[in-house]
Amino acid sequence: MEKQPTTEKSRDQFVSRIGFIFAAAGSAVGLGNIWRFPYLAGLNGGGAFVLFYLICVIVIGFGLMLAEFVIGRHTQLSSVDAFKKLDKRFTFVGVMGVLAAFIIMGYYPVVGGWSVAYIFKIVLGEFSTEPAVMGEIFGALSGGIMSPIFWTAIYLIMNIVIVAKGISAGIEKASKIMMPTLFALLVILVIRSVTLPGAMEGLRYLFVPDFSKMTGEVMLAALGQAFFSLSLGMGCMITYSSYLSKKENLVQSAIIVPAMDTSVALLAGMMIIPATVALGFDLGQGPGLVFVTVPAIFATMGPVVGRIFGILFFVLLTLAALTSSLSLLEVVVSYLIDNRKWERKRAVMITSIILFLMCIAASLSMGIWSGFQIIGKNIFDFLDWFANSLLLPIGGLFITLYVGWFWGKDKVKTEVTNNESVKFAIFNVWMFLCKFVIPIIIALVLLSGIGII
Ligand code: PHE
């Protein structure tokens, strides 16, 4: 069935409210929660990092997410056209968001591909209790040539199929199945992890703040993680909420989505950190934690049980990554549909081909191209740094500044309260967050990202 180029009238909508919540939470919950959050917590002193991360989620997560929801739902347009319609001077914010989504999608599928590859590695029994052996297995995959590119392609094809089908038929259906499955799998693995002898010490590390470790560096790491994990600052939530009906309670959604995202991050931490401590592995090993330590942890459970838990885990990680990259691809695709008037299938295909080429470069930069560096980073790290340390904070800064200072308080109030039909008691607090608190916090992250602080 051919889809017409979408106009405001014929635009798809989320069929159900729960479908939107699942899709938005599916975007937020991804490698950021399950791969990045636990290793950052392990690296940055545990409890102190977690505490500051939670503060950031409550302040920025709620405030900026609501700002994005309001813009998207009001205009019923994806981010570039949304800003073009509201205030032409802010169009660059939308363009920067599309660029950020594009750049993140230039390496995210590589990690997604590793995750798919690990499902098969675990099936074939390629896992061991020895961190050194696991390091070699991971190094051989990530530093290889054809194999990681093959798995990246498999991962990208999954994205293409779902996004090409359109918003309600594809993403909504996928998210409704994926999210509950993800939660159930996580809970099972958390129970396994915290019942290991010695796991309590790990739980304490994760939740009892050691304030001597609350340095500026740790706080900024936590802040950056909150930003990335919640999919904020790049118009992703603007695009998703542009498919929302005017009856939706935006305030409620801006509370539920960060709450779900944070629950998954905390569950992921409770799955990985206690087991890591209990089994005597290195908490501070960084990005390798998921791909090196976790399979080793499963291996210590014996070949059969370990395999079952290992397969469950990497299926879960792949699903989480998938719902996030779907949203990133959707930001780019809906820009091409709304702004360039492309047909959906064409937009998905052409975008995906370019992304695949970027992913090949990102993947090779972990191996044979590692010598090619831009400002001291390989291609993979550079893409990650450029999108997350520069584009997302700049985007978030201008989104909140726009809502706080430029849109007009009355117009914002009308939209956020569905024309005064839903109550929003702390409206003025939220406006204060948008005007001052969030932009100032973001400016600090940004300056640290560039290395000025
Ligand atoms: N939030 C996603 C994750 O945690 C990544 C993402 C960032 C998705 C920005 C969309 C936009 O993995």
Side-chain angles (χ1 to χ4, degrees):
M1 214 175 41
E2 284 289 89
K3 273 222 166 60
Q4 294 301 313
T6 358
T7 64
E8 266 181 80
K9 288 247 165 55
S10 70
R11 212 174 152 78
D12 286 330
Q13 277 203 344
F14 282 100
V15 175
S16 64
R17 127 149 247 239
I18 200 77
F20 170 72
I21 299 274
F22 275 137
S27 163
V29 176
L31 295 171
N33 309 58
I34 296 171
W35 163 68
R36 207 162 180 267
F37 174 78
Y39 93 67
L40 284 181
L43 268 179
N44 291 297
F49 171 88
V50 173
L51 179 68
F52 194 70
Y53 171 77
L54 291 175
I55 293 168
C56 292
V57 166
I58 292 165
V59 177
I60 297 182
F62 168 73
L64 178 53
M65 194 169 285
L66 185 56
E68 294 204 17
F69 283 169
V70 171
I71 293 171
R73 207 268 306 264
H74 179 80
T75 56
Q76 303 274 298
L77 291 166
S78 55
S79 55
V80 176
D81 286 289
F83 279 111
K84 210 184 223 172
K85 182 174 170 183
L86 288 170
D87 188 334
K88 279 211 160 50
R89 292 170 302 170
F90 279 80
T91 308
F92 77 96
V93 180
V95 174
M96 241 169 37
V98 174
L99 189 66
F102 195 74
I103 291 172
I104 294 174
M105 277 303 279
Y107 70 89
Y108 204 94
V110 175
V111 185
W114 295 342
S115 184
V116 181
Y118 263 72
I119 299 170
F120 294 94
K121 284 193 183 301
I122 304 276
V123 170
L124 295 173
E126 275 187 55
F127 57 104
S128 151
T129 52
E130 280 298 314
V133 176
M134 283 316 304
E136 228 161 80
I137 292 172
F138 177 64
L141 173 68
S142 62
I145 299 174
M146 287 321 281
S147 159
I149 293 173
F150 169 78
W151 293 112
T152 300
I154 298 288
Y155 181 82
L156 256 177
I157 288 167
M158 297 185 197
N159 284 270
I160 294 166
V161 171
I162 298 174
V163 172
K165 282 179 150 186
I167 192 87
S168 47
I171 295 173
E172 184 172 344
K173 214 181 272 172
S175 305
K176 264 192 210 162
I177 302 165
M178 287 176 190
M179 289 300 292
T181 313
L182 180 67
F183 255 93
L185 287 173
L186 265 177
V187 170
I188 293 167
L189 290 174
V190 167
I191 292 169
R192 178 69 193 118
S193 177
V194 298
T195 52
L196 287 168
M200 282 311 129
E201 201 193 314
L203 273 185
R204 218 171 297 128
Y205 179 81
L206 193 59
F207 289 117
V208 181
D210 173 354
F211 287 101
S212 71
K213 296 201 173 130
M214 187 81 102
T215 62
E217 212 178 313
V218 167
M219 285 161 76
L220 288 167
L223 189 67
Q225 172 59 17
F227 225 94
F228 180 72
S229 186
L230 292 167
S231 306
L232 292 174
M234 45 96 76
C236 184
M237 293 301 174
I238 294 179
T239 302
Y240 265 31
S241 55
S242 74
Y243 297 105
L244 269 182
S245 91
K246 292 286 179 192
K247 292 187 298 261
E248 199 64 52
N249 185 332
L250 299 179
V251 179
Q252 236 172 47
S253 300
I255 293 169
I256 295 171
V257 175
M260 286 172 84
D261 184 70
T262 307
S263 319
V264 174
L266 293 176
L267 283 174
M270 287 165 69
M271 164 179 64
I272 292 172
I273 302 288
T276 306
V277 172
L279 299 168
F281 289 94
D282 179 13
L283 267 179
Q285 66 182 280
L289 195 64
V290 165
F291 293 103
V292 175
T293 305
V294 171
I297 295 165
F298 292 134
T300 66
M301 297 171 177
V304 179
V305 180
R307 212 171 275 200
I308 293 168
F309 278 95
I311 293 166
L312 279 174
F313 178 76
F314 285 105
V315 167
L316 175 154
L317 187 62
T318 304
L319 294 180
L322 195 55
T323 49
S324 297
S325 51
L326 289 177
S327 72
L328 289 161
L329 190 52
E330 183 63 27
V331 169
V332 181
V333 166
S334 58
Y335 163 73
L336 294 171
I337 295 171
D338 290 340
N339 198 279
R340 304 274 150 198
K341 307 294 172 215
W342 286 20
E343 194 262 330
R344 175 174 279 273
K345 286 212 173 73
R346 173 166 175 245
V348 174
M349 284 319 298
I350 292 176
T351 306
S352 304
I353 289 167
I354 299 169
L355 291 176
F356 185 50
L357 296 177
M358 287 169 71
C359 286
I360 289 174
S363 178
L364 292 178
S365 79
M366 307 291 287
I368 53 165
W369 286 4
S370 61
F372 179 74
Q373 308 237 317
I374 310 160
I375 55 163
K377 301 175 197 310
N378 66 25
I379 297 170
F380 187 104
D381 292 337
F382 178 77
L383 294 176
D384 182 76
W385 175 82
F386 189 69
N388 302 322
S389 301
L390 282 184
L391 296 178
L392 295 191
I394 296 172
L397 183 74
F398 282 103
I399 291 167
T400 43
L401 286 178
Y402 177 71
V403 171
W405 296 93
F406 294 90
W407 197 352
K409 200 174 168 177
D410 295 338
K411 285 187 215 149
V412 175
K413 191 164 193 180
T414 306
E415 185 64 36
V416 77
T417 58
N418 300 357
N419 214 355
E420 309 283 336
S421 67
V422 294
K423 272 231 288 283
F424 185 22
I426 58 158
F427 175 77
N428 286 324
V429 175
W430 174 58
M431 284 306 276
F432 183 76
L433 288 178
C434 288
K435 273 189 155 139
F436 302 105
V437 182
I438 297 174
I440 289 169
I441 294 176
I442 291 173
L444 291 176
V445 186
L446 188 62
L447 294 175
S448 94
I450 305 171
I452 291 173
I453 294 182

